[in-house]
Coordinates of all heavy atoms in Angstrom, one line a residue:
M242 N -7.5 52.4 100.3 CA -6.9 51.4 99.5 C -5.4 51.6 99.5 O -5.0 52.7 99.2 CB -7.5 51.4 98.1 CG -6.9 50.4 97.2 SD -7.7 49.9 95.7 CE -8.4 51.3 95.0
P243 N -4.6 50.6 99.8 CA -3.2 50.7 99.8 C -2.6 51.0 98.4 O -3.2 50.6 97.4 CB -2.6 49.4 100.3 CG -3.8 48.4 100.2 CD -5.0 49.2 100.1
E244 N -1.6 51.8 98.3 CA -1.0 52.1 97.0 C -0.3 50.9 96.4 O 0.4 50.2 97.1 CB 0.1 53.2 97.3 CG 0.7 53.7 96.0 CD 1.7 54.8 96.2 OE1 1.5 55.6 97.2 OE2 2.7 54.8 95.5
R245 N -0.6 50.7 95.2 CA 0.0 49.5 94.4 C 1.3 50.0 93.8 O 1.4 50.9 93.0 CB -1.0 49.0 93.4 CG -0.6 47.8 92.7 CD -1.6 47.3 91.8 NE -0.9 46.9 90.6 CZ -1.4 47.2 89.4 NH1 -2.5 47.8 89.2 NH2 -0.7 46.9 88.3
K246 N 2.4 49.3 94.1 CA 3.7 49.6 93.6 C 3.9 48.9 92.3 O 3.8 47.7 92.2 CB 4.8 49.2 94.6 CG 4.8 50.0 95.8 CD 6.1 49.9 96.6 CE 6.2 50.6 97.8 NZ 5.3 51.5 98.4
I247 N 4.2 49.7 91.2 CA 4.3 49.1 89.9 C 5.8 48.8 89.6 O 6.1 47.8 89.0 CB 3.8 50.1 88.8 CG1 2.3 50.3 89.1 CG2 4.1 49.6 87.4 CD1 1.7 51.4 88.2
I248 N 6.7 49.7 90.1 CA 8.1 49.4 89.9 C 8.8 49.5 91.3 O 8.3 50.2 92.2 CB 8.8 50.4 89.0 CG1 8.6 51.9 89.4 CG2 8.2 50.2 87.6 CD1 9.3 52.9 88.6
D249 N 9.9 48.8 91.4 CA 10.6 48.8 92.7 C 11.6 50.0 92.7 O 11.8 50.7 91.7 CB 11.3 47.5 93.0 CG 12.3 47.1 91.9 OD1 12.9 48.0 91.2 OD2 12.4 45.9 91.7
R250 N 12.2 50.2 93.8 CA 13.1 51.4 94.0 C 14.3 51.3 93.0 O 14.7 52.3 92.4 CB 13.6 51.5 95.4 CG 14.4 52.7 95.7 CD 13.5 53.9 95.9 NE 14.3 55.0 96.2 CZ 14.0 56.2 95.8 NH1 12.9 56.4 95.1 NH2 14.8 57.2 96.1
D251 N 14.9 50.1 92.8 CA 16.0 50.0 92.0 C 15.7 50.3 90.5 O 16.4 51.0 89.8 CB 16.6 48.6 92.0 CG 17.3 48.3 93.4 OD1 17.7 49.3 94.0 OD2 17.4 47.1 93.8
T252 N 14.5 49.9 90.1 CA 14.1 50.1 88.7 C 13.8 51.6 88.5 O 14.2 52.2 87.5 CB 12.8 49.4 88.4 OG1 13.1 48.0 88.6 CG2 12.4 49.6 86.9
Y253 N 13.3 52.3 89.5 CA 13.0 53.7 89.5 C 14.4 54.5 89.3 O 14.5 55.4 88.5 CB 12.3 54.1 90.8 CG 12.2 55.6 90.9 CD1 11.3 56.3 90.1 CD2 13.0 56.4 91.8 CE1 11.1 57.7 90.2 CE2 12.8 57.7 91.9 CZ 11.9 58.4 91.1 OH 11.8 59.8 91.2
R254 N 15.4 54.1 90.1 CA 16.7 54.7 90.0 C 17.3 54.5 88.6 O 17.9 55.5 88.0 CB 17.6 54.2 91.0 CG 17.3 54.7 92.4 CD 18.3 54.2 93.4 NE 18.0 54.7 94.7 CZ 18.0 53.9 95.8 NH1 18.3 52.6 95.8 NH2 17.6 54.4 97.0
K255 N 17.1 53.3 88.0 CA 17.6 53.1 86.6 C 16.9 54.0 85.6 O 17.5 54.5 84.7 CB 17.5 51.6 86.3 CG 18.4 50.7 87.0 CD 18.2 49.3 86.7 CE 19.0 48.3 87.6 NZ 18.6 46.9 87.3
I256 N 15.6 54.1 85.8 CA 14.8 54.9 84.9 C 15.2 56.4 84.9 O 15.3 57.0 83.9 CB 13.3 54.8 85.2 CG1 12.8 53.4 84.8 CG2 12.5 55.9 84.5 CD1 11.4 53.1 85.3
K257 N 15.5 56.9 86.1 CA 15.9 58.3 86.3 C 17.2 58.6 85.5 O 17.4 59.7 85.0 CB 16.1 58.6 87.7 CG 14.8 58.8 88.5 CD 15.0 59.1 89.9 CE 15.8 60.4 90.2 NZ 15.9 60.8 91.6
K258 N 18.1 57.6 85.3 CA 19.3 57.8 84.7 C 19.3 57.5 83.2 O 20.2 57.8 82.4 CB 20.4 56.8 85.3 CG 20.7 57.1 86.7 CD 21.7 56.1 87.3 CE 22.0 56.4 88.7 NZ 22.9 55.4 89.3
M259 N 18.1 57.1 82.7 CA 18.0 56.7 81.2 C 17.9 57.9 80.3 O 17.3 59.0 80.8 CB 16.8 55.8 81.0 CG 16.9 54.5 81.5 SD 15.3 53.6 81.2 CE 15.6 52.0 82.0
S260 N 18.4 57.8 79.1 CA 18.2 58.8 78.1 C 16.8 58.6 77.6 O 16.1 57.6 77.9 CB 19.2 58.6 77.0 OG 18.9 57.4 76.3
R261 N 16.3 59.5 76.7 CA 15.0 59.4 76.2 C 14.8 58.1 75.4 O 13.8 57.4 75.5 CB 14.7 60.6 75.3 CG 13.2 60.6 74.8 CD 13.0 61.6 73.7 NE 13.7 61.3 72.5 CZ 13.4 60.3 71.6 NH1 12.4 59.5 71.8 NH2 14.2 60.1 70.5
E262 N 15.9 57.8 74.6 CA 15.8 56.6 73.8 C 15.8 55.3 74.6 O 15.0 54.4 74.3 CB 17.0 56.5 72.8 CG 17.1 57.6 71.8 CD 17.6 58.9 72.2 OE1 18.2 59.0 73.4 OE2 17.5 59.9 71.5
E263 N 16.6 55.3 75.7 CA 16.5 54.1 76.6 C 15.2 54.0 77.3 O 14.7 52.9 77.4 CB 17.7 54.3 77.6 CG 19.0 54.1 77.1 CD 20.1 54.5 78.1 OE1 19.9 55.4 78.9 OE2 21.2 53.9 78.0
L264 N 14.6 55.1 77.7 CA 13.3 55.1 78.4 C 12.2 54.6 77.4 O 11.4 53.8 77.8 CB 13.0 56.5 78.9 CG 11.6 56.6 79.6 CD1 11.5 55.6 80.8 CD2 11.4 58.0 80.0
Q265 N 12.3 55.1 76.2 CA 11.3 54.6 75.2 C 11.4 53.1 75.0 O 10.4 52.4 75.0 CB 11.5 55.4 73.9 CG 10.5 55.0 72.8 CD 10.5 55.8 71.6 OE1 11.0 57.0 71.6 NE2 10.0 55.3 70.5
A266 N 12.6 52.6 74.8 CA 12.8 51.2 74.6 C 12.3 50.4 75.9 O 11.6 49.3 75.7 CB 14.3 50.8 74.4
F267 N 12.6 50.9 77.1 CA 12.1 50.3 78.3 C 10.6 50.2 78.3 O 10.0 49.2 78.7 CB 12.7 51.0 79.5 CG 12.1 50.6 80.8 CD1 12.6 49.4 81.5 CD2 11.0 51.3 81.4 CE1 12.0 49.0 82.7 CE2 10.5 50.8 82.6 CZ 11.0 49.7 83.2
L268 N 10.0 51.3 78.0 CA 8.5 51.4 78.1 C 7.9 50.5 77.0 O 6.8 49.8 77.3 CB 8.0 52.8 77.9 CG 8.4 53.8 79.0 CD1 8.0 55.2 78.7 CD2 7.7 53.3 80.3
E269 N 8.5 50.4 75.9 CA 8.0 49.5 74.8 C 8.0 48.0 75.3 O 7.1 47.2 75.1 CB 8.7 49.7 73.5 CG 8.3 50.9 72.8 CD 9.2 51.2 71.6 OE1 10.2 50.5 71.4 OE2 8.9 52.2 70.9
R270 N 9.2 47.6 75.9 CA 9.3 46.3 76.4 C 8.3 46.0 77.6 O 7.7 45.0 77.7 CB 10.7 46.0 76.9 CG 11.8 45.9 75.9 CD 13.1 45.4 76.4 NE 13.6 46.2 77.6 CZ 14.3 47.3 77.5 NH1 14.7 47.7 76.3 NH2 14.7 47.9 78.6
Y271 N 8.2 47.0 78.5 CA 7.3 46.9 79.6 C 5.8 46.7 79.1 O 5.1 45.8 79.6 CB 7.4 48.1 80.5 CG 6.6 48.1 81.8 CD1 7.2 47.5 82.9 CD2 5.3 48.5 81.9 CE1 6.5 47.4 84.1 CE2 4.6 48.5 83.1 CZ 5.2 47.9 84.2 OH 4.6 47.8 85.4
Y272 N 5.4 47.5 78.1 CA 4.1 47.4 77.6 C 3.8 46.1 76.9 O 2.8 45.4 77.1 CB 3.8 48.5 76.6 CG 2.5 48.5 75.9 CD1 1.3 48.8 76.6 CD2 2.3 48.0 74.6 CE1 0.1 48.7 76.0 CE2 1.1 47.9 74.0 CZ 0.0 48.3 74.7 OH -1.3 48.2 74.1
A273 N 4.8 45.6 76.1 CA 4.7 44.3 75.4 C 4.6 43.2 76.4 O 3.7 42.3 76.2 CB 5.9 44.1 74.5
N274 N 5.3 43.3 77.4 CA 5.3 42.2 78.5 C 3.9 42.2 79.2 O 3.3 41.2 79.4 CB 6.4 42.4 79.5 CG 6.5 41.3 80.5 OD1 6.3 40.1 80.1 ND2 6.9 41.6 81.7
A275 N 3.4 43.4 79.5 CA 2.1 43.5 80.2 C 1.0 43.0 79.3 O 0.1 42.2 79.7 CB 1.8 45.0 80.5
V276 N 1.0 43.3 78.0 CA 0.0 42.8 77.1 C 0.1 41.3 76.9 O -0.9 40.6 77.0 CB 0.2 43.5 75.7 CG1 -0.7 42.8 74.6 CG2 -0.2 45.0 75.8
E277 N 1.3 40.8 76.8 CA 1.5 39.3 76.7 C 1.0 38.6 78.0 O 0.3 37.6 77.9 CB 3.0 39.0 76.5 CG 3.3 37.5 76.3 CD 4.7 37.3 76.1 OE1 5.3 38.0 75.3 OE2 5.3 36.4 76.8
N278 N 1.3 39.1 79.1 CA 0.8 38.5 80.4 C -0.7 38.6 80.5 O -1.3 37.7 81.0 CB 1.5 39.1 81.6 CG 2.9 38.7 81.7 OD1 3.3 37.7 81.2 ND2 3.7 39.5 82.4
E279 N -1.3 39.7 80.1 CA -2.7 39.8 80.1 C -3.4 38.8 79.2 O -4.4 38.2 79.6 CB -3.1 41.2 79.7 CG -4.6 41.5 79.8 CD -4.9 42.9 79.4 OE1 -4.2 43.8 79.9 OE2 -5.9 43.1 78.7
A280 N -2.9 38.6 78.0 CA -3.4 37.6 77.1 C -3.3 36.2 77.6 O -4.2 35.4 77.4 CB -2.7 37.7 75.7
K281 N -2.3 35.9 78.4 CA -2.1 34.6 79.0 C -3.2 34.3 80.0 O -3.6 33.2 80.2 CB -0.8 34.4 79.6 CG 0.4 34.3 78.6 CD 1.7 34.2 79.3 CE 2.8 34.1 78.3 NZ 4.1 34.1 79.0
D282 N -3.6 35.3 80.7 CA -4.6 35.2 81.8 C -6.0 35.1 81.3 O -7.0 35.0 82.0 CB -4.5 36.3 82.8 CG -3.1 36.3 83.5 OD1 -2.5 35.2 83.6 OD2 -2.7 37.3 84.1
F283 N -6.2 35.3 80.0 CA -7.5 35.4 79.3 C -8.1 34.0 79.1 O -7.5 33.2 78.5 CB -7.3 36.1 78.0 CG -8.6 36.5 77.3 CD1 -9.3 37.6 77.7 CD2 -9.1 35.7 76.3 CE1 -10.5 37.9 77.1 CE2 -10.3 36.0 75.7 CZ -11.0 37.2 76.1
D284 N -9.3 33.7 79.6 CA -9.9 32.4 79.5 C -11.1 32.6 78.5 O -12.1 33.0 78.8 CB -10.4 31.9 80.9 CG -11.0 30.6 80.8 OD1 -11.1 29.9 79.7 OD2 -11.5 30.1 81.8
I285 N -10.8 32.1 77.3 CA -11.8 32.3 76.2 C -13.0 31.4 76.4 O -14.1 31.9 76.1 CB -11.1 32.0 74.8 CG1 -12.0 32.4 73.7 CG2 -10.9 30.5 74.7 CD1 -11.9 33.9 73.4
E286 N -12.9 30.3 77.1 CA -14.1 29.4 77.3 C -15.0 30.1 78.4 O -16.2 30.0 78.3 CB -13.6 28.0 77.8 CG -13.0 27.2 76.7 CD -13.8 27.1 75.4 OE1 -15.1 26.9 75.5 OE2 -13.3 27.3 74.3
E287 N -14.4 30.7 79.4 CA -15.2 31.4 80.4 C -16.0 32.6 79.7 O -17.2 32.8 79.9 CB -14.4 31.9 81.5 CG -15.2 32.7 82.6 CD -14.4 33.3 83.6 OE1 -13.1 33.0 83.7 OE2 -14.9 34.1 84.4
L288 N -15.3 33.3 78.9 CA -15.9 34.4 78.1 C -17.0 33.9 77.2 O -18.1 34.5 77.2 CB -14.9 35.2 77.3 CG -15.4 36.4 76.5 CD1 -16.0 37.4 77.5 CD2 -14.3 37.0 75.7
R289 N -16.8 32.8 76.5 CA -17.8 32.2 75.7 C -19.0 31.8 76.5 O -20.1 32.1 76.0 CB -17.2 30.9 75.0 CG -18.1 30.2 74.1 CD -17.5 28.9 73.5 NE -18.4 28.4 72.5 CZ -18.4 28.7 71.2 NH1 -17.6 29.6 70.8 NH2 -19.3 28.1 70.4
G290 N -18.9 31.2 77.6 CA -20.0 30.9 78.5 C -20.8 32.1 78.9 O -22.0 32.1 78.9
R291 N -20.1 33.2 79.3 CA -20.7 34.4 79.7 C -21.5 35.1 78.6 O -22.6 35.6 78.8 CB -19.7 35.3 80.4 CG -19.2 34.7 81.7 CD -18.3 35.6 82.4 NE -19.1 36.8 83.0 CZ -18.6 37.7 83.7 NH1 -17.3 37.7 84.0 NH2 -19.3 38.7 84.1
I292 N -20.9 35.1 77.4 CA -21.5 35.8 76.3 C -22.7 34.9 75.9 O -23.8 35.4 75.5 CB -20.6 36.0 75.1 CG1 -19.5 37.0 75.5 CG2 -21.3 36.4 73.9 CD1 -18.4 37.2 74.5
G293 N -22.5 33.6 75.9 CA -23.6 32.7 75.5 C -24.8 32.7 76.4 O -25.9 32.4 76.0
A294 N -24.6 33.2 77.6 CA -25.7 33.3 78.6 C -26.6 34.5 78.3 O -27.7 34.6 78.9 CB -25.1 33.3 80.0
I295 N -26.1 35.4 77.5 CA -26.9 36.6 77.2 C -28.1 36.2 76.3 O -28.0 35.5 75.3 CB -26.1 37.7 76.4 CG1 -24.9 38.1 77.3 CG2 -26.9 38.8 76.0 CD1 -23.9 39.0 76.6
K296 N -29.3 36.6 76.7 CA -30.5 36.3 76.0 C -30.4 36.9 74.6 O -30.1 38.0 74.4 CB -31.7 36.9 76.7 CG -33.0 36.5 76.1 CD -34.2 37.0 76.9 CE -35.5 36.5 76.3 NZ -36.6 36.9 77.1
G297 N -30.7 36.0 73.6 CA -30.7 36.5 72.2 C -29.5 36.1 71.4 O -29.4 36.3 70.2
I298 N -28.4 35.7 72.1 CA -27.2 35.3 71.5 C -27.3 33.8 71.2 O -27.2 33.0 72.2 CB -26.0 35.6 72.3 CG1 -25.9 37.1 72.7 CG2 -24.7 35.1 71.6 CD1 -25.4 38.0 71.6
G299 N -27.4 33.4 70.0 CA -27.4 32.0 69.6 C -26.0 31.4 69.4 O -25.0 32.1 69.4
E300 N -26.0 30.1 69.1 CA -24.7 29.5 68.9 C -23.9 30.0 67.7 O -22.7 30.2 67.8 CB -24.9 28.0 68.8 CG -23.7 27.1 68.9 CD -23.0 27.2 70.3 OE1 -23.7 27.3 71.3 OE2 -21.8 27.1 70.4
K301 N -24.6 30.3 66.7 CA -24.0 30.8 65.4 C -23.4 32.2 65.7 O -22.3 32.4 65.3 CB -25.0 30.8 64.3 CG -24.4 31.1 63.0 CD -25.4 30.9 61.8 CE -24.8 31.1 60.5 NZ -25.7 30.9 59.4
R302 N -24.2 33.1 66.3 CA -23.7 34.4 66.6 C -22.5 34.4 67.6 O -21.6 35.1 67.5 CB -24.8 35.3 67.1 CG -24.4 36.7 67.4 CD -24.0 37.5 66.2 NE -25.2 37.7 65.4 CZ -25.2 38.2 64.2 NH1 -24.0 38.6 63.7 NH2 -26.2 38.3 63.5
L303 N -22.7 33.5 68.6 CA -21.6 33.3 69.6 C -20.3 32.9 68.9 O -19.2 33.4 69.2 CB -22.0 32.3 70.6 CG -21.0 32.0 71.7 CD1 -20.7 33.3 72.5 CD2 -21.6 30.9 72.7
D304 N -20.4 32.0 68.0 CA -19.2 31.5 67.2 C -18.5 32.7 66.5 O -17.3 32.8 66.5 CB -19.5 30.4 66.2 CG -19.8 29.1 66.9 OD1 -19.4 28.9 68.1 OD2 -20.5 28.2 66.3
E305 N -19.3 33.6 65.9 CA -18.8 34.7 65.2 C -18.1 35.7 66.1 O -17.1 36.2 65.8 CB -20.0 35.4 64.4 CG -20.5 34.7 63.3 CD -21.8 35.3 62.7 OE1 -22.1 36.5 63.1 OE2 -22.4 34.7 61.8
I306 N -18.7 35.9 67.3 CA -18.2 36.8 68.3 C -16.8 36.3 68.8 O -15.9 37.1 68.9 CB -19.2 37.1 69.4 CG1 -20.4 37.8 69.0 CG2 -18.5 37.8 70.6 CD1 -21.5 37.8 69.9
I307 N -16.8 35.0 69.1 CA -15.6 34.4 69.6 C -14.5 34.5 68.6 O -13.3 34.8 68.9 CB -15.8 33.0 70.1 CG1 -16.8 33.0 71.3 CG2 -14.5 32.3 70.5 CD1 -16.3 33.8 72.5
E308 N -14.8 34.3 67.3 CA -13.8 34.4 66.2 C -13.2 35.8 66.1 O -12.0 35.9 66.0 CB -14.5 34.0 64.9 CG -13.5 33.9 63.8 CD -14.2 33.5 62.5 OE1 -15.1 32.5 62.5 OE2 -13.9 34.1 61.4
V309 N -14.1 36.8 66.3 CA -13.6 38.2 66.2 C -12.6 38.4 67.4 O -11.6 39.0 67.3 CB -14.8 39.2 66.2 CG1 -14.3 40.6 66.5 CG2 -15.5 39.1 64.9
I310 N -13.0 38.0 68.6 CA -12.2 38.2 69.8 C -10.8 37.5 69.6 O -9.8 38.0 69.9 CB -12.9 37.7 71.0 CG1 -14.1 38.6 71.3 CG2 -11.9 37.6 72.2 CD1 -15.0 38.0 72.4
Q311 N -10.8 36.2 69.1 CA -9.6 35.5 68.9 C -8.7 36.2 67.9 O -7.5 36.3 68.0 CB -9.9 34.1 68.5 CG -10.4 33.2 69.6 CD -10.8 31.9 69.2 OE1 -11.3 31.6 68.1 NE2 -10.6 30.9 70.1
E312 N -9.3 36.7 66.8 CA -8.5 37.5 65.8 C -7.9 38.7 66.4 O -6.7 39.1 66.2 CB -9.3 37.9 64.6 CG -9.7 36.7 63.7 CD -10.7 37.1 62.6 OE1 -10.9 38.3 62.4 OE2 -11.2 36.2 61.9
Y313 N -8.6 39.4 67.3 CA -8.2 40.6 67.9 C -7.0 40.3 68.9 O -6.0 41.0 68.9 CB -9.3 41.3 68.7 CG -8.9 42.5 69.5 CD1 -8.7 43.7 68.8 CD2 -8.6 42.4 70.8 CE1 -8.3 44.8 69.5 CE2 -8.2 43.6 71.5 CZ -8.0 44.8 70.8 OH -7.6 45.9 71.5
L314 N -7.1 39.2 69.6 CA -6.0 38.9 70.5 C -4.7 38.4 69.8 O -3.6 38.5 70.4 CB -6.5 37.7 71.4 CG -7.6 38.1 72.4 CD1 -8.0 36.9 73.2 CD2 -7.1 39.1 73.4
K315 N -4.8 38.0 68.6 CA -3.6 37.6 67.8 C -2.8 38.8 67.4 O -1.6 38.7 67.0 CB -4.0 36.8 66.6 CG -4.5 35.4 67.0 CD -4.9 34.6 65.8 CE -5.5 33.3 66.2 NZ -5.9 32.5 65.1
K316 N -3.3 40.1 67.4 CA -2.6 41.3 67.0 C -1.3 41.4 67.8 O -1.2 41.2 68.9 CB -3.4 42.5 67.2 CG -4.5 42.6 66.2 CD -5.2 44.0 66.4 CE -6.4 44.2 65.6 NZ -7.0 45.5 65.8

């Protein structure tokens, strides 16, 4: 499997020159951006359909599960 590059060479060079405080701020921004992008790619209706297909999960329980997931994603 080919190696997946997470950062480019220029970013790597900038990181090497950062102080601890600058690196911490960079990582916090990087993480927040990754979480935000992940949430955007999340299809709640597809998940609802897949969970609803599980034997024993009725509509009422499915609504409760989806509500919990939506609350979690708002954090």
Side-chain angles (χ1 to χ4, degrees):
M242 178 164 36
E244 184 179 327
R245 189 174 131 222
K246 296 199 181 351
I247 298 174
I248 58 172
D249 59 31
R250 186 77 180 146
D251 290 335
T252 305
Y253 173 73
R254 287 184 179 133
K255 289 177 188 175
I256 289 171
K257 284 179 60 175
K258 294 178 184 178
M259 289 180 183
S260 68
R261 187 193 62 76
E262 293 83 9
E263 291 170 326
L264 179 59
Q265 183 171 338
F267 171 80
L268 292 174
E269 287 171 355
R270 287 190 310 270
Y271 188 86
Y272 176 78
N274 187 37
V276 169
E277 182 179 311
N278 287 338
E279 185 177 316
K281 287 180 184 176
D282 295 340
F283 190 81
D284 185 0
I285 194 80
E286 291 305 316
E287 179 184 351
L288 182 61
R289 181 183 185 84
R291 293 184 69 178
I292 294 172
I295 297 171
K296 186 176 180 176
I298 303 284
E300 194 65 31
K301 190 172 183 178
R302 180 66 67 189
L303 180 59
D304 289 340
E305 292 173 5
I306 293 169
I307 296 299
E308 185 178 319
V309 169
I310 292 169
Q311 288 175 327
E312 288 175 10
Y313 177 79
L314 290 174
K315 289 179 184 177
K316 285 186 187 179

